[in-house]
Amino acid sequence: MQSEQVEIYQFLSTIAPFSLLSAASLEEVVGSVEIGYFKAGTQILSLGDAINDLCCVRSGAVEVFRKNGELYNRLSQGGVFGYQGLLVNRHVRYPVCALEDTLIYYISGAVFREMLDREEEFADFFAVEDSTRLLQVVSRQEKSSPLMTSKVSSLIGREPVTLLSSASVQQAAQLMCEEQVSSLLVLEPVTDDVDDDQLVPDLEAGPHYIRGILTDRDLRERIIAQGLSYETAIDEVMSQSVVTINSDDFVFEAMMTMLRSHVYHLPVLKKGRPLGVINLADIVRHESQSSLFIVSNILHQTTLEGLVALRDEVNSSFVRLVNEDANSQMIGTAMAIIGRTFKQRLIELAIEALGEPPIEFCFLALGSMARDEQLIVTDQDNALILDNSYDPQQHGSYFEQLAEYVCHGLAACGYALCTGGIMATNPVWRMTQAEWEVRFCDWIDNPTPRSLLDSSIFFDLDGVYGRTEWADQLNSLVARRAKRSQRFLASMARNALLRTPPLGFFRTFVLEQDGEHKNSINLKRRGTAPLVDLIRVHALAIGSSSRNSFERLDDIVEANILPPGRGEDIKGALEFIALVRIRHQKLDLEKEIPPDNNIEPENLSNFERRNLKDAFQIVSDAQKYLTFRYQPNRAN
Amino acid sequence: MLYRSLKDTTPVAPRLDWPAIYQRQADAARDRRLKRFFQAGLPAPDSTLAELEFVALDLETTGLSVEVDDIVSVGMVPFTLQRIRCNASRNWVVRPRTPLQEEAIVIHGITHSEVRQAPRLGSIIGEVLDALEGKVAIVHCKSVEQQFLGAALERLTGQRLLFPVIDTMAQERVICAKRPVSWWQAIWGRKPLSLRLPDCRQRYHLPHYTAHHATLDAVAAAELFIAQVQHYIGDEALLRDLWE
């Protein structure tokens, strides 16, 4: 290689796809380079012209257009264009114009084609659409995460210890001692032909189903403390609603299942047959620094000060999850569970201070916590459902004080007060069950984009404490009703388009000009929020009862209302933008500066830049599709 | 557009009748290589820049004095206003008559051992002339290239080489002088702009290169020239108004 080519070599070796080439191939590419210069505003490629070279932006910035003149992409230093035309018919398919004074490296088309034949990874880069490229990136990352690759089955140490339900609690305790286990599975044969004396199920004899589970804690709390006879049948004291997990599920999912359902033993099933039981300790051993610790820590605090002191631990468990390559869904769920636990504990402390509530209630979580998509920078959105017997004169002050205690407690624990006033402290958002139903019906039946502007958050709703089934009832009301109201969906769709992705990233991207974060992009406002909004509209349209955006997407894909492949694209985009946001918050925490949702383009790696650009393109396309699908007078 | 008027500007140097000068040199030439070079002639003086083929030329020398110092490296790259053909660039390292000074090594990155193994200029000058033949040379700071190459040929053949160049530095000087003066500059006095190659390039948003490698500098000068043409000179400008 001639030494003046070192300059070109060094440049190309840092950017994809050339960085994927072997050194010899890259030298060959470098050897074919020619250079062109274009003043800002001049045409680089014109539609239909012959094209013989692959183009790479050495410096400056260009705009790529569709045939209809619509802006397709903006590329800055390192951006590659012209390959669509080169690969198809050697005529320009996407015209390109210089946005700034731009230096272009031309790579000979013959050498380019040679590389496609010879270098597989290089070819992959061009063979796939932008969105697919993004998906590959995301799935590659997921594969590398140990938490996501360990299956529940790897935690099972032994066969389950089982017993028939006719056994006495003493017999159960003896068996547990013998086997040195802290739980027993209570099985029942599917066919009812058991000897009366038989205690241990004969699994070879036929299929059994799980009737219940008996744990150390049950023996303590339900038998000894209650003074029951040792002869009591386990049938009477065991837990009957058994939460199970499949052996193919990931360890992470087992952990989340335990946290969500407040159980510490999970029977593991394979094709319906119990393989074993895993408990919290098994997972903790597997995942020694898990976010579980903080959850139990929260539950053990007896004062508000104690809870506030845990704030740093929340941050460090967030950092740990990121460092362990957890995906955004894991992190979002873990943080939501932690937030929910704070809320639950605060409500318990409030009740200790204020006395038992005069009527039943349900404390609601709204927005990201309800969707299991909470991150570290978050404000609180909550509300209260009160029993229909609510009388403001009689009960008003109790719930006002309860709300004050919980919301200000949460604020002290790092969950900022909601600036929009969507909190239980606001009397507007303390309504009876009947009033809530009326409110939701009104939103759905008499919609205007304006009236729904601040209420989309209520369509992500989850019960946290008290009569949580009231929250489920509201959710199913919404699921039934929303899909029938085309005007409601159209209004929601219109609002979902208010926040747009910063498409022309890095060069001419639209910067957030307000507030203290000048020259940066708010990844929540411009990235994840628009996606979450549009996913919610689709989910409402199909009557999905899921709240998590990824789960909603699964429902949406199943309902077949998106063009093929689009659901996976959106998933990939959401995951990627969320991960970039998460990583930048983690970096802020490690640098001990207050984390936020803003990123400065110069702080992004090349990898992040390139893929964020793809992701924003997907957001933009998905928004366009939303406009098309939910027109006020269109029948779906 | 304030800069438009620059296109119709008067030439920066007195117009020389280069075809006639070439004819005279060809007649006088005794050296076979020189004779061929001059006989190949030059593009027509009334050609527009858009239709011309150029070659950017850069010399690295042991120092700045044409009497004492000598050429160590020659870099050339052919180009048109559309494309710089890096893949056809040439680079020669040659053994100077004067020993290489330490500071020159620092600047060029050419080492003693490289130079010791290098040929004398005399054995490659034919190739240099071939690469230059029939094309318009672009240089940044013409005095170095014109004087050193001229003097070297005089030594080798007894005949001085006079050849036209377009000097991007001289062009930049004209362009800068015509720039509008802001009120700020009017009050504080116009600060002379640097005409060093990297500084000129920066004004056209061209990237930073590791300077002082002959061919890389030639590429850098070619890029600068295209930028000057696109921004100020215009591709309809006539060759005769630019060469010196």
Side-chain angles (χ1 to χ4, degrees):
Chain A
M1 181 168 47
Q2 297 207 27
S3 42
E4 84 279 1
Q5 292 177 336
V6 170
E7 187 81 36
I8 301 173
Y9 186 95
Q10 280 171 351
F11 173 72
L12 289 182
S13 66
T14 61
I15 59 162
F18 306 104
S19 52
L20 303 170
L21 291 171
S22 67
S25 293
L26 182 55
E27 272 189 41
E28 209 171 312
V29 167
V30 168
S32 81
V33 166
E34 298 187 351
I35 304 176
Y37 176 89
F38 297 88
K39 187 171 100 169
T42 50
Q43 194 83 19
I44 300 174
L45 295 179
S46 305
L47 186 66
D49 280 4
I51 180 166
N52 296 308
D53 308 280
L54 182 68
C55 307
C56 174
V57 180
R58 171 61 180 87
S59 65
V62 302
E63 288 185 322
V64 184
F65 296 91
R66 293 183 199 278
K67 273 182 194 157
N68 61 11
E70 197 182 319
L71 180 64
Y72 172 67
N73 204 351
R74 284 201 181 105
L75 299 168
S76 59
Q77 186 165 318
V80 176
F81 61 93
Y83 52 89
Q84 296 96 338
L86 263 185
L87 290 173
V88 180
N89 58 1
R90 306 200 195 168
H91 284 87
V92 174
R93 288 161 57 90
Y94 294 88
V96 178
C97 199
L99 186 65
E100 297 176 359
D101 293 344
T102 297
L103 205 59
I104 298 290
Y105 281 173
Y106 294 103
I107 291 130
S108 140
V111 174
F112 171 55
R113 271 184 288 273
E114 167 91 34
M115 293 304 143
L116 290 180
D117 284 346
R118 198 197 299 164
E119 300 262 354
E120 202 169 327
E121 272 187 273
F122 182 80
D124 282 350
F125 182 93
F126 294 98
V128 296
E129 285 295 313
D130 292 347
S131 53
T132 325
R133 191 158 69 220
L134 185 64
L135 270 184
Q136 289 177 341
V137 166
V138 171
S139 66
R140 242 178 272 147
Q141 283 175 341
E142 280 182 358
K143 268 186 229 146
S144 67
S145 148
L147 268 169
M148 289 303 289
T149 47
S150 317
K151 297 273 173 100
V152 169
S153 48
S154 68
L155 294 184
I156 300 173
R158 55 170 299 165
E159 293 267 295
V161 179
T162 58
L163 206 61
L164 290 171
S165 58
S166 50
S168 72
V169 292
Q170 187 171 30
Q171 286 168 322
Q174 281 164 352
L175 183 62
M176 286 163 81
C177 292
E178 240 167 71
E179 301 282 348
Q180 298 192 343
V181 290
S182 59
S183 69
L184 285 178
L185 277 189
V186 183
L187 298 187
E188 204 69 16
V190 174
T191 48
D192 197 22
D193 57 346
V194 191
D195 290 343
D196 284 348
D197 328 337
Q198 193 186 338
L199 292 179
V200 178
D202 180 5
L203 293 176
E204 304 298 316
H208 288 67
Y209 70 96
I210 301 177
R211 251 191 89 116
I213 187 167
L214 187 75
T215 67
D216 271 350
R217 192 171 157 188
D218 295 332
L219 293 175
R220 189 172 73 234
E221 290 180 358
R222 298 185 186 167
I223 299 156
I224 303 174
Q226 307 287 332
L228 294 186
S229 147
Y230 292 170
E231 299 307 318
T232 312
I234 51 177
D235 211 9
E236 293 170 33
V237 290
M238 67 185 183
S239 309
Q240 291 199 358
S241 51
V242 182
V243 183
T244 62
I245 191 152
N246 277 313
S247 62
D248 279 344
D249 288 343
F250 294 105
V251 171
F252 157 72
E253 292 171 275
M255 165 175 128
M256 289 309 163
T257 306
M258 284 187 186
L259 288 174
R260 219 192 286 240
S261 4
H262 305 290
V263 296
Y264 300 100
H265 293 86
L266 278 182
V268 180
L269 305 183
K270 184 170 188 177
K271 292 186 183 150
R273 252 199 69 210
L275 272 191
V277 177
I278 56 170
N279 61 32
L280 192 62
D282 293 328
I283 297 185
V284 169
R285 262 196 300 278
H286 176 81
E287 179 47 53
S288 62
Q289 289 187 307
S290 116
S291 45
L292 287 169
F293 284 125
I294 178 137
V295 170
S296 66
N297 231 335
I298 294 170
L299 291 172
H300 283 113
Q301 296 307 315
T302 51
T303 60
L304 178 59
E305 293 69 36
L307 288 174
V308 172
L310 292 176
R311 198 173 157 164
D312 285 345
E313 282 191 39
V314 177
N315 288 349
S316 44
S317 68
F318 175 81
V319 170
R320 268 199 306 272
L321 278 168
V322 182
N323 286 340
E324 284 158 4
D325 275 339
N327 67 16
S328 80
Q329 212 178 343
M330 288 166 64
I331 296 171
T333 311
M335 290 295 123
I337 284 170
I338 290 171
R340 211 173 286 160
T341 312
F342 267 116
K343 215 177 250 186
Q344 288 162 345
R345 189 62 194 140
L346 278 166
I347 296 169
E348 285 168 0
L349 291 178
I351 292 174
E352 269 175 37
L354 300 172
E356 284 299 312
I359 53 169
E360 290 192 292
F361 69 97
C362 170
F363 208 98
L364 295 177
L366 306 167
S368 62
M369 189 188 284
R371 290 195 313 271
D372 277 347
E373 290 165 20
Q374 199 152 39
L375 296 186
I376 206 84
V377 185
T378 183
D379 55 358
Q380 45 173 309
D381 301 294
N382 47 56
L384 265 173
I385 309 179
L386 303 168
D387 189 81
N388 284 336
S389 64
Y390 174 72
D391 171 13
Q393 297 288 314
Q394 232 182 312
H395 312 128
S397 86
Y398 180 91
F399 288 103
E400 190 184 329
Q401 290 175 57
L402 178 83
E404 287 288 328
Y405 190 100
V406 174
C407 294
H408 289 105
L410 280 172
C413 294
Y415 300 86
L417 294 171
C418 170
T419 48
I422 299 180
M423 286 184 297
T425 43
N426 185 344
V428 179
W429 306 123
R430 295 199 298 267
M431 286 190 277
T432 66
Q433 229 190 327
E435 286 168 336
W436 275 108
E437 280 175 18
V438 170
R439 175 59 62 97
F440 270 101
C441 290
D442 186 51
W443 274 329
I444 295 169
D445 298 341
N446 308 303
T448 63
R450 171 152 283 282
S451 70
L452 293 174
L453 201 54
D454 301 315
S455 48
S456 64
I457 199 165
F458 289 97
F459 292 89
D460 304 331
L461 163 154
D462 190 26
V464 170
Y465 191 92
R467 299 290 298 268
T468 50
E469 66 270 26
W470 292 351
D472 300 338
Q473 286 162 14
L474 281 182
N475 273 327
S476 58
L477 170 84
V478 171
R480 282 195 316 272
R481 210 172 181 103
K483 63 179 173 194
R484 295 200 306 257
S485 172
Q486 199 55 38
R487 277 175 56 226
F488 168 74
L489 294 173
S491 302
M492 290 291 275
R494 240 182 80 181
N495 286 342
L497 303 174
L498 292 177
R499 297 182 281 199
T500 53
L503 250 196
F505 208 35
F506 307 120
R507 275 289 160 177
T508 50
F509 54 102
V510 189
L511 294 163
E512 309 290 335
Q513 291 296 357
D514 50 326
E516 57 190 297
H517 299 292
K518 290 219 165 94
N519 302 326
S520 62
I521 300 163
N522 188 312
L523 269 192
K524 180 185 179 187
R525 197 179 314 155
R526 308 299 299 278
T528 48
L531 272 179
V532 166
D533 284 349
L534 70 90
I535 291 168
R536 184 190 300 111
V537 178
H538 288 306
L540 288 168
I542 57 164
S544 156
S545 56
S546 302
R547 283 182 300 278
N548 180 270
S549 295
F550 290 99
E551 289 168 15
R552 281 175 168 171
L553 267 173
D554 287 339
D555 295 346
I556 293 164
V557 168
E558 205 164 301
N560 223 355
I561 60 168
L562 293 181
R566 199 66 73 81
E568 288 302 309
D569 289 354
I570 296 176
K571 233 187 227 185
L574 180 61
E575 176 66 23
F576 192 79
I577 300 173
L579 272 182
V580 173
R581 199 179 140 201
I582 286 167
R583 284 195 200 119
H584 281 258
Q585 292 187 349
K586 185 207 90 165
L587 289 177
D588 284 347
L589 283 175
E590 285 177 342
K591 282 189 238 158
E592 297 186 348
I593 54 178
D596 56 35
N597 287 315
N598 290 280
I599 52 158
E600 296 72 33
E602 60 271 20
N603 291 342
L604 288 169
S605 67
N606 269 344
F607 172 85
E608 287 176 325
R609 282 182 193 220
R610 163 149 222 121
N611 290 296
L612 264 185
K613 238 186 276 188
D614 292 350
F616 284 140
Q617 186 62 51
I618 291 169
V619 180
S620 174
D621 291 346
Q623 286 193 331
K624 274 179 213 145
Y625 183 74
L626 198 71
T627 333
F628 157 76
R629 188 171 171 91
Y630 302 104
Q631 292 157 6
N633 42 13
R634 180 181 187 274
N636 279 309
Chain B
M1 190 70 183
L2 275 161
Y3 303 125
R4 280 290 162 199
S5 58
L6 282 175
K7 282 189 193 171
D8 318 314
T9 186
T10 46
V12 287
R15 272 187 222 189
L16 296 172
D17 185 358
W18 279 107
I21 298 172
Y22 260 48
Q23 192 54 54
R24 278 202 299 280
Q25 292 188 96
D27 294 343
R30 283 184 307 275
D31 183 275
R32 185 176 39 87
R33 295 164 298 193
L34 269 183
K35 192 150 193 107
R36 197 175 62 215
F37 175 78
F38 287 122
Q39 277 171 347
L42 280 168
D46 56 356
S47 314
T48 63
L49 299 184
E51 53 196 3
L52 287 172
E53 284 194 27
F54 304 94
V55 57
L57 169 67
D58 187 76
L59 303 181
E60 304 291 321
T61 59
T62 56
L64 289 175
S65 157
V66 72
E67 283 80 32
V68 181
D69 294 304
D70 204 358
I71 299 170
V72 265
S73 158
V74 181
M76 293 174 100
V77 60
F79 70 103
T80 64
L81 290 184
Q82 276 72 48
R83 293 288 179 99
I84 301 169
R85 297 183 46 223
C86 302
N87 41 14
S89 67
R90 301 294 305 266
N91 184 262
W92 296 272
V93 173
V94 293
R95 188 150 36 110
R97 295 162 303 128
T98 44
L100 208 50
Q101 302 296 314
E102 289 302 325
E103 61 260 42
I105 295 177
V106 174
I107 293 175
H108 309 309
I110 297 171
T111 58
H112 287 292
S113 63
E114 257 184 286
V115 166
R116 257 196 307 277
Q117 292 160 15
R120 288 285 188 195
L121 180 64
S123 59
I124 58 120
I125 193 71
E127 289 180 67
V128 174
L129 288 175
D130 285 349
L132 208 53
E133 195 177 288
K135 294 192 176 120
V136 181
I138 305 292
V139 299
H140 191 78
C141 189
K142 66 174 192 290
S143 57
V144 174
E145 278 73 17
Q146 277 184 326
Q147 290 179 20
F148 273 86
L149 216 49
L153 273 148
E154 189 166 19
R155 256 195 338 271
L156 290 169
T157 66
Q159 187 181 0
R160 200 166 174 89
L161 169 75
L162 290 174
F163 65 104
V165 299
I166 297 177
D167 182 0
T168 50
M169 184 191 266
Q171 295 300 326
E172 190 68 9
R173 190 179 293 121
V174 176
I175 288 164
C176 288
K178 300 266 175 155
R179 281 190 177 203
V181 180
S182 71
W183 63 269
W184 179 257
Q185 289 168 320
I187 294 169
W188 290 100
R190 188 196 283 262
K191 193 172 151 229
L193 286 164
S194 161
L195 295 176
R196 289 176 55 245
L197 182 55
D199 296 324
C200 293
R201 287 171 55 83
Q202 219 172 24
R203 289 195 278 275
Y204 299 89
H205 308 110
L206 288 163
H208 177 76
Y209 288 157
T210 330
H212 291 298
H213 173 277
T215 311
L216 189 57
D217 275 359
V219 170
E223 288 172 1
L224 174 61
F225 178 66
I226 298 173
Q228 288 174 331
V229 171
Q230 287 204 17
H231 283 265
Y232 302 109
I233 300 169
D235 59 6
E236 295 299 312
L238 300 182
L239 176 60
R240 77 167 87 179
D241 293 331
L242 295 172
W243 65 13
E244 327 174 18

